[in-house]
Amino acid sequence: MSLQIHLHSCRDVAIRSVAREIATLIRNKPHAVLGLATGATPIPLYRELVRLHREEGLSFRQVTTFNLDEYLGLEPTHPETYWNFMHRHLFDRIDIPAANIHMPHAQLAEADILSHCEAYEDAIRVAGGIDYQILGIGRTGHIGFNEPGSPADSITRRIHLDAITRQDAAPAFGDLAHVPKHAITMGCGTILAARKIALLAFGESKADIVRRALREPVTDQVSASFLQNHPEAHFHLDPASASALG
Ligand code: GLP
């Protein structure tokens, strides 16, 4: 199969459908490995997974997770670290053991970056690879933080954040000057190795980049376009994000 587009009647319907898929995966395979994303888009998905845990007994006790990315250089107490984001929205509200959670570190000495990234790739391999990868999409077309120019076979590494990405993050940091300039991100190759991928994009602000990712030729200038070549990639859209597809 090739890439599939799911046009949902609204965001919440899309969220429920993706959450149901994840729940089914975990019930069939309690040791499932999930790839997780940050940003505003997956917040309602995490809310729904928490509801499934609390109200329908969905257990994450044996699940392993790998997050896509993390800002470099933030203090551990900074509210915008993806570590804190994930704990706030998901990990502190479900029964996943701390040892099963994997995220790139925000605080790394220059000399440790390469080995940290290699260890992250190894940990994904040792866990058996990612069964289900959740993605959002940035205005530059990035998945994770794979900014324009990221090769299809790139692996976990340090990336210099694009000016547009930093601008988009500025409100959360109060000021552009406070937005980190670098991040650690899984590579496009790391992401494309996942067995199944669900990219979520909602709202009009995503319409143009969704069109470029889906309707233009595959290019390293829009890393989400690499998903066109993945056998199990699914775009979950609402009418607004799908509005430029024609
Ligand atoms: C950040 C994250 C991406 C995310 C993107 C879009 O750059 N690293 O993983 O997809 O933002 O965020 P939002 O969902 O808030 O539009």
Side-chain angles (χ1 to χ4, degrees), residues 36-43 68-71 82 85 134-140 142-147 161 165-166 168-169 183 185 199-202 205-206:
L36 301 179
T38 50
T41 306
I43 291 177
L68 284 166
D69 45 17
E70 177 62 284
Y71 289 115
Y82 285 161
F85 174 100
I134 297 159
L135 296 176
I137 184 168
R139 258 208 301 157
T140 60
H142 68 211
I143 47 177
F145 269 136
N146 288 286
E147 301 290 22
L161 296 176
T165 300
R166 292 187 66 242
D168 287 349
T185 184
L199 185 146
L200 315 181
F202 310 123
S205 64
K206 305 284 180 180

Side-chain angles (χ1 to χ4, degrees), residues 145-220:
F145 269 136
N146 288 286
E147 301 290 22
S150 297
D153 61 356
S154 49
I155 59 170
T156 303
R157 67 204 187 288
R158 175 174 44 186
I159 190 107
H160 184 261
L161 296 176
D162 192 277
I164 294 176
T165 300
R166 292 187 66 242
Q167 253 170 38
D168 287 349
F173 284 86
D175 190 290
L176 183 61
H178 297 145
V179 181
K181 294 196 167 61
H182 295 92
I184 302 287
T185 184
M186 277 186 197
C188 295
T190 323
I191 293 169
L192 293 169
R195 285 182 270 279
K196 185 165 186 174
I197 300 178
L199 185 146
L200 315 181
F202 310 123
E204 212 188 320
S205 64
K206 305 284 180 180
D208 187 54
I209 196 63
V210 164
R211 180 192 60 76
R212 290 178 63 199
L214 290 172
R215 294 288 190 251
E216 290 186 0
V218 174
T219 167
D220 68 5

Side-chain angles (χ1 to χ4, degrees), residues 31-207:
H31 286 91
V33 179
L34 302 181
L36 301 179
T38 50
T41 306
I43 291 177
L45 174 65
Y46 297 148
R47 202 180 301 131
E48 177 62 6
L49 291 176
V50 170
R51 191 194 68 75
L52 288 169
H53 169 64
R54 289 185 179 157
E55 295 176 16
E56 299 186 24
L58 180 67
S59 176
F60 294 80
R61 202 165 282 285
Q62 299 178 74
V63 168
T64 296
T65 64
F66 289 90
N67 263 85
L68 284 166
D69 45 17
E70 177 62 284
Y71 289 115
L72 256 183
L74 295 182
E75 294 295 327
T77 53
H78 196 294
E80 292 304 320
T81 67
Y82 285 161
W83 171 273
N84 288 325
F85 174 100
M86 287 306 303
H87 283 76
R88 212 160 46 233
H89 292 289
L90 186 65
F91 298 147
D92 287 347
R93 297 159 183 252
I94 57 175
D95 60 346
I96 189 166
N100 296 10
I101 296 168
H102 301 82
M103 297 189 66
H105 290 177
Q107 296 259 309
L108 287 169
E110 184 69 33
D112 296 335
I113 290 178
L114 192 60
S115 58
H116 182 71
C117 294
E118 284 172 358
Y120 205 69
E121 291 283 328
D122 285 346
I124 295 173
R125 249 191 310 274
V126 168
I130 293 171
D131 291 304
Y132 194 103
Q133 175 69 56
I134 297 159
L135 296 176
I137 184 168
R139 258 208 301 157
T140 60
H142 68 211
I143 47 177
F145 269 136
N146 288 286
E147 301 290 22
S150 297
D153 61 356
S154 49
I155 59 170
T156 303
R157 67 204 187 288
R158 175 174 44 186
I159 190 107
H160 184 261
L161 296 176
D162 192 277
I164 294 176
T165 300
R166 292 187 66 242
Q167 253 170 38
D168 287 349
F173 284 86
D175 190 290
L176 183 61
H178 297 145
V179 181
K181 294 196 167 61
H182 295 92
I184 302 287
T185 184
M186 277 186 197
C188 295
T190 323
I191 293 169
L192 293 169
R195 285 182 270 279
K196 185 165 186 174
I197 300 178
L199 185 146
L200 315 181
F202 310 123
E204 212 188 320
S205 64
K206 305 284 180 180

